[in-house]
Amino acid sequence: MDEERQATFGPDGELETEAPEATGTNDFGEETGADETDGGFNRYAVVSLLQKAIRRGDEEVSVWCAWELARSGFGWNLWERLNTFVVEDLQADQQAALLVGRYEELAERWEMGSRRGQMAAVQAALVVARARAAREGANAVNAFHAIADKRAEARSAGEEPTHTFPVTPDDLSAGGRYDVALDGHTGEGARLDRSSPFFRVHGARVGPVGETDVGARWKRLYLMLDAYDYTEEEVAHALDAVDADDPWAEPDFADE
């Protein structure tokens, strides 16, 4: 169990949780400083190197950084950063987040100071370094925050914004591009009396491949047994895959 740690700001300006003052010695028999690793490195620099190595797919450097932090009593810092990296630096469809979480559990079970604990740290670093690097989430958050600021500035100046979100208020209104989202789960959809059949015919469609064979069979059966009398066209549309080129296109059904 880690001792109580106090919050502090690191050299990069981020809020960090600082470990207690180190009282051991480094590899050379010298007393270690508060932020010094056993190899005589600054832990902030090692953490920063770890992130850059992961982005560049440098497995050896990533593994060394993880091992150095783990053996030096900075395992808490290693796991906090690895979990941040899987959100900031990897493509969203990677399984690294699940694996890192499992390795962290094992490291805590075995204790970070043990060789098995260090092996778990090394394995986790390898998983992240081998995953597809991409800062999609971080870039999206940064871009949308920047757009939000520009929209607010434009409104204050009585001007049209130079950039806007992928969704406008008009888009997300009845008859707009994303009209299908306004089903009975929303206030507007309820006002339009869009009950469950609207959702089943329009809102529950998937794409771009569509339902699996067994999923389609069960959905067809459900529609057949439902209290609402669906037309053949509605059933066919409910089971049809969303158009990959125009995923928001939806026809009107007069009897719906």
Side-chain angles (χ1 to χ4, degrees), residues 75-146:
W76 61 270
N77 198 177
L78 168 66
W79 294 113
E80 190 274 334
R81 299 315 294 170
L82 282 177
N83 280 289
T84 298
F85 298 161
V86 298
V87 173
E88 285 189 354
D89 298 305
L90 300 186
Q91 186 170 304
D93 62 354
Q94 302 298 309
Q95 298 299 308
L98 298 177
L99 294 173
V100 167
R102 178 56 177 155
Y103 282 127
E104 182 178 5
E105 291 175 358
L106 292 173
E108 290 176 350
R109 177 190 301 177
W110 293 326
E111 298 187 354
M112 286 301 301
S114 71
R115 286 186 175 270
R116 288 193 298 178
Q118 293 169 23
M119 289 178 197
V122 165
Q123 290 286 79
L126 277 174
V127 165
V128 181
R130 289 172 176 172
R132 169 74 164 85
R135 288 177 54 78
E136 296 168 322
N139 292 338
V141 168
N142 291 339
F144 291 148
H145 273 298

Side-chain angles (χ1 to χ4, degrees), residues 144-251:
F144 291 148
H145 273 298
I147 291 172
D149 291 341
K150 293 299 181 184
R151 290 174 76 243
E153 291 174 6
R155 172 176 288 188
S156 178
E159 302 172 350
E160 287 296 319
T162 57
H163 294 78
T164 188
F165 298 131
V167 180
T168 68
D170 286 341
D171 289 333
L172 195 53
S173 61
R177 176 167 174 74
Y178 304 112
D179 174 86
V180 66
L182 302 175
D183 55 25
H185 298 92
T186 68
E188 180 67 7
R191 186 185 67 80
L192 295 171
D193 195 26
R194 291 179 171 177
S195 55
S196 296
F198 179 90
F199 171 77
R200 293 166 189 154
V201 173
H202 298 290
R205 296 175 63 225
V206 298
V209 178
E211 294 282 1
T212 63
D213 290 343
V214 66
R217 178 167 61 83
W218 286 334
K219 185 171 185 178
R220 184 185 296 277
L221 179 61
Y222 176 65
L223 295 178
M224 287 175 55
L225 299 176
D226 190 37
Y228 180 84
D229 187 17
Y230 298 92
T231 66
E232 292 183 7
E233 290 79 8
E234 288 172 332
V235 172
H237 182 70
L239 297 173
D240 194 24
V242 169
D243 187 342
D245 296 324
D246 191 4
W248 299 101
E250 292 289 326

